Amino acid sequence: MDIEDGPRGVTVEWAVVASGIGPLFLAATGRGLVRVEFHAGAGRAERMPERLAGQLGAEAVGRSTGLLAEPLRQLERYFAGALHAFDLPLDWSLTTGFNRQVLRELATGVPYGTVVGYGELARRVGQPGAAQAVGAAMGANPLPVVVPCHRVVESDGGLGGFGGGLETKRRLLALEGVLPEPLF
């Protein structure tokens, strides 16, 4: 389910949670999940709520209202290998235009256990020459894992880039059965 632009909520609930790929910063508004960030270690996590509140024009509060209950449950099931498709309301406030169009196509058109090339994704949104712009949209994805930018790869089979680091991308693709599990 997607929530489009509109009046922003007055609060953004956030939490840092453990995951199969390290600590994740999660945030939600009354409209839906709005942010997922990798590598949310202590120093970095301290700055994230205030920065996000500024971007959204909202007040940041720690987990208290229950907005994150369902995203947390679904992410836990995903990392346990028991969930193959997220069914969450998403607040798209942190993305616009072409990036939003690409990310929405990615969210709905590239299922668990599959990959798509940057060029193919550009073609799907009606911009066949925009593979590099698709790469930029992946780098600006405010909802990685849930909007699975890890499933976008180079046309020659290379992994391409990834905001969470290539090892994180490999681990997510291995979890989904696209790549073999690392030997050690």
Side-chain angles (χ1 to χ4, degrees):
M1 178 192 316
D2 298 334
I3 307 295
E4 295 299 333
D5 289 329
R8 295 199 166 128
V10 294
T11 62
V12 59
E13 182 176 316
W14 65 273
V16 175
V17 297
S19 79
I21 54 172
L24 295 174
F25 174 86
L26 304 177
T29 67
R31 297 167 58 212
L33 188 65
V34 71
R35 189 76 167 141
V36 176
E37 285 195 45
F38 298 111
H39 314 299
R44 187 166 183 228
E46 290 173 9
R47 297 183 301 275
M48 291 177 183
E50 187 175 322
R51 185 184 69 186
L52 182 61
Q55 291 172 320
L56 295 172
E59 176 188 359
V61 297
R63 189 179 354 179
S64 64
T65 63
L67 293 174
L68 289 172
E70 187 60 18
L72 289 168
R73 188 182 74 73
Q74 288 191 31
L75 280 163
E76 183 177 310
R77 292 186 65 228
Y78 170 80
F79 285 111
L83 180 78
H84 294 177
F86 291 98
D87 183 21
L88 297 168
L90 301 177
D91 180 338
W92 292 98
S93 297
L94 297 175
T95 186
T96 60
F98 178 79
N99 286 6
R100 182 183 291 179
Q101 183 182 10
V102 169
L103 293 171
R104 289 176 62 115
E105 172 60 29
L106 176 63
T108 59
V110 184
Y112 184 97
T114 66
V115 294
V116 66
Y118 293 94
E120 171 60 17
L121 196 51
R123 187 193 64 70
R124 289 185 189 185
V125 297
Q127 301 291 326
Q132 286 184 323
V134 166
M138 296 304 100
N141 181 3
L143 296 162
V145 181
V146 175
V147 177
C149 52
H150 60 277
R151 296 180 190 154
V152 183
V153 297
E154 294 175 342
S155 60
D156 66 0
L159 286 180
F162 192 63
L166 289 182
E167 183 54 32
T168 299
K169 187 171 189 171
R170 282 186 195 95
R171 290 172 67 191
L172 290 168
L173 291 173
L175 171 70
E176 295 187 11
V178 174
L179 293 176
E181 289 289 337
L183 296 175
F184 40 87

